[in-house]
Amino acid sequence: MKYFLFFVFCFYLNGCNTNKENISSSSVEILHDDILTLDTHIDIPLTYMTEIDPSGPTDLQVDLPKLQKGNLDSGFWIIYTPQDYLTEKSYLSALEIAETRNNAIHELTKKHSDYFELAFKADDVSRIVSDGKYAVLIGMENAFPLGKTLKDVKLWAERGVRYMGITHFGHNQFGDSSNPSSDRNEMTSRWHGLSPLGKELIKALNDAGIMVDVSHASKSTMMQAAELSRVPVIASHSGVKAIRDHPRNLDDEQLLMLKETGGVVQVVAYGSYIKGYTNEQKNLETTIALKFNVNSKDDFNALDEDAKISFEQARNELLAMEPRANVSDYVDHIDHVVKIAGIDHVGIASDFDGGGGVIGWQDASETQNVTAELIKRGYSESHITKIWGGNLLRVMREAEQASR
Ligand SMILES: [Zn+2]
């Protein structure tokens, strides 16, 4: 609020220049501290809380010292499970992974209850933050571990899961993915969107008060879910296709669907979804593929161990080549969502510890750089509040009200 008053004061003076050079870091800090910040995608390793304790300094992008430094108030900690063939055996091993991550998140809020508290409702978030703690919400990336039944949806809701992704890389029992699995030789589409069980899943999530997450879903899956859901859907971590043509990103028609149905896209700070390769990188990518004769995962698996190491070194050099995506490139995606869908349909997701991070927002300690860039672009305090979680919490309240 203080920054807003500064703004009004400047307006009356009619002389203050609000370009970046003249926005002092203290006014960014004041605004950043005043608003509630919510990041909807924070991944955790499988050794979280058993070998890695984030209450002290760690190699993770999100731990307590970094949250404190960057003043990131709250987030969705993620129960992620990879997919395999659709067999009972792989559902069970995914379930084991899901339970390990769920237990770790609960352990974080139990063991370090002075700092972290689990939020079950949208209103819990601001209450926890005003108590001086970090609000931990739970998101489940991929419904795969549910298996072929929906009987556990309520159980996951009781455990605190407040959004659930339909699928991940690869089509699953609930619907088509934006990225068919090349390992499993999948076609572009298996279900033409949601499967019959996927349609039931949407209803079960609505009933349980869990938001439907369409990130990683194919366009048809996403559009059908948005249409079918009684509650607006969210894309918990996706970018926009108009800026970076990538299967994981949403096109303008999808953004308009979110606008029409009241949903929200949490723009993801994942470098390769934000910014495409330069021509130099594209050429190098082709050279590497030719040199190692690798065009698929099977090709890679067929290499001997030394060649695998050399291939990965070459790929890492390719990825490390400048220019990488930075905070300005990131906020370009936010601007585009605002342009197409409006200020009420956009939010923020880092994907930290899951591959996320851009120059200027490499870990939670740099979170205020995102706010600084939003201020630089001319967003008001009330708009920045919506972007930094207000919109997402509105959908979460709608999910609570629609639950049965
Ligand atoms: Zn993801």
Side-chain angles (χ1 to χ4, degrees):
M1 186 52 83
K2 289 166 204 135
Y3 184 79
F4 177 70
L5 293 176
F6 163 82
F7 218 89
V8 172
F9 181 58
C10 288
F11 181 78
Y12 280 108
L13 281 183
N14 201 22
C16 296
N17 186 340
T18 52
N19 67 23
K20 191 187 186 182
E21 289 65 43
N22 288 316
I23 296 169
S24 70
S25 59
S26 66
S27 40
V28 169
E29 255 168 57
I30 289 166
L31 183 134
H32 185 75
D33 292 357
D34 274 356
I35 60 169
L36 181 80
T37 48
L38 169 70
D39 172 351
T40 50
H41 210 86
I42 299 170
D43 276 298
I44 55 167
L46 271 174
T47 50
Y48 203 68
M49 294 306 294
T50 49
E51 288 167 34
I52 300 172
D53 188 324
S55 65
T58 64
D59 290 337
L60 296 176
Q61 289 168 293
V62 179
D63 56 30
L64 184 60
K66 295 185 185 95
L67 288 168
Q68 288 168 329
K69 188 169 177 216
N71 227 315
L72 176 58
D73 299 318
S74 59
F76 277 79
W77 267 244
I78 300 303
I79 299 174
Y80 159 71
T81 55
Q83 266 178 222
D84 206 328
Y85 289 98
L86 309 184
T87 62
E88 286 306 324
K89 194 171 160 244
S90 39
Y91 296 144
L92 274 177
S93 60
L95 182 61
E96 231 171 83
I97 292 172
E99 287 185 337
T100 301
R101 288 200 161 98
N102 173 64
N103 292 339
I105 299 166
H106 282 264
E107 182 61 15
L108 169 73
T109 57
K110 265 186 235 151
K111 189 172 175 194
H112 302 300
S113 56
D114 288 349
Y115 297 105
F116 297 98
E117 187 176 332
L118 210 53
F120 288 88
K121 291 193 166 249
D123 288 343
D124 290 343
V125 178
S126 54
R127 196 249 317 144
I128 292 167
V129 173
S130 50
D131 285 351
K133 296 190 209 179
Y134 296 91
V136 175
L137 298 114
I138 305 179
M140 195 157 159
E141 180 166 25
N142 201 357
F144 185 71
L146 294 176
K148 280 199 272 193
T149 147
L150 302 171
K151 66 174 174 47
D152 287 343
V153 169
K154 273 213 168 106
L155 174 68
W156 285 108
E158 282 160 21
R159 288 168 169 175
V161 168
R162 287 299 174 267
Y163 77 67
M164 196 181 287
I166 299 166
T167 184
H168 196 255
F169 290 122
H171 308 317
N172 69 7
Q173 68 271 41
F174 301 110
D176 290 343
S177 166
S178 58
N179 299 65
S181 165
S182 55
D183 288 359
R184 295 188 288 281
N185 295 316
E186 290 179 349
M187 314 280 275
T188 316
S189 169
R190 173 178 176 143
W191 303 103
H192 303 290
L194 288 167
S195 72
L197 188 64
K199 289 177 185 162
E200 293 296 314
L201 173 70
I202 304 299
K203 190 177 171 298
L205 294 176
N206 288 164
D207 290 348
I210 297 177
M211 292 180 284
V212 176
D213 174 19
V214 297
S215 283
H216 286 285
S218 73
K219 180 174 177 179
S220 313
T221 307
M222 178 271 167
M223 296 293 268
Q224 291 168 19
E227 185 94 48
L228 197 63
S229 178
R230 298 201 305 273
V231 179
V233 300
I234 65 163
S236 69
H237 61 306
S238 292
V240 305
K241 215 168 215 163
I243 297 179
R244 164 71 171 124
D245 188 5
H246 189 286
R248 276 281 284 104
N249 289 343
L250 307 181
D251 67 20
D252 287 358
E253 200 185 342
Q254 290 174 287
L255 296 179
L256 287 169
M257 182 56 138
L258 289 177
K259 176 192 169 100
E260 208 175 291
T261 53
V264 49
V265 51
Q266 303 289 114
V267 173
V268 68
Y270 194 102
S272 59
Y273 304 164
I274 293 301
K275 194 171 184 175
Y277 281 172
T278 59
N279 283 336
E280 199 190 346
Q281 283 172 305
K282 281 181 197 159
N283 291 340
L284 185 59
E285 188 179 39
T286 314
T287 311
I288 294 170
L290 284 172
K291 183 178 166 195
F292 292 90
N293 197 19
V294 170
N295 292 299
S296 69
K297 192 125 190 186
D298 286 345
D299 295 342
F300 174 77
N301 290 337
L303 296 177
D304 67 40
E305 287 310 307
D306 284 350
K308 275 182 185 161
I309 292 167
S310 314
F311 177 80
E312 282 186 331
Q313 272 169 355
R315 291 286 306 183
N316 287 339
E317 279 162 29
L318 167 73
L319 289 172
M321 277 168 73
E322 302 291 343
R324 286 165 54 214
N326 60 28
V327 169
S328 170
D329 300 315
Y330 174 69
V331 176
D332 287 347
H333 284 242
I334 292 179
D335 280 351
H336 186 82
V337 180
V338 173
K339 189 175 102 191
I340 302 297
I343 190 70
D344 294 322
H345 305 281
V346 64
I348 288 175
S350 65
D351 213 348
F352 282 150
D353 299 310
V358 292
I359 294 169
W361 195 30
Q362 305 260 35
D363 62 43
S365 74
E366 297 184 323
T367 300
Q368 48 187 282
N369 290 344
V370 178
T371 305
E373 185 65 25
L374 292 168
I375 294 172
K376 182 185 158 194
R377 304 275 173 121
Y379 288 101
S380 66
E381 175 167 349
S382 71
H383 284 179
I384 295 173
T385 305
K386 284 183 177 194
I387 296 170
W388 256 129
N391 291 330
L392 192 285
L393 292 172
R394 166 182 53 79
V395 176
M396 190 167 161
R397 278 188 197 95
E398 288 184 54
E400 288 164 12
Q401 280 154 16
S403 69
R404 286 176 182 149

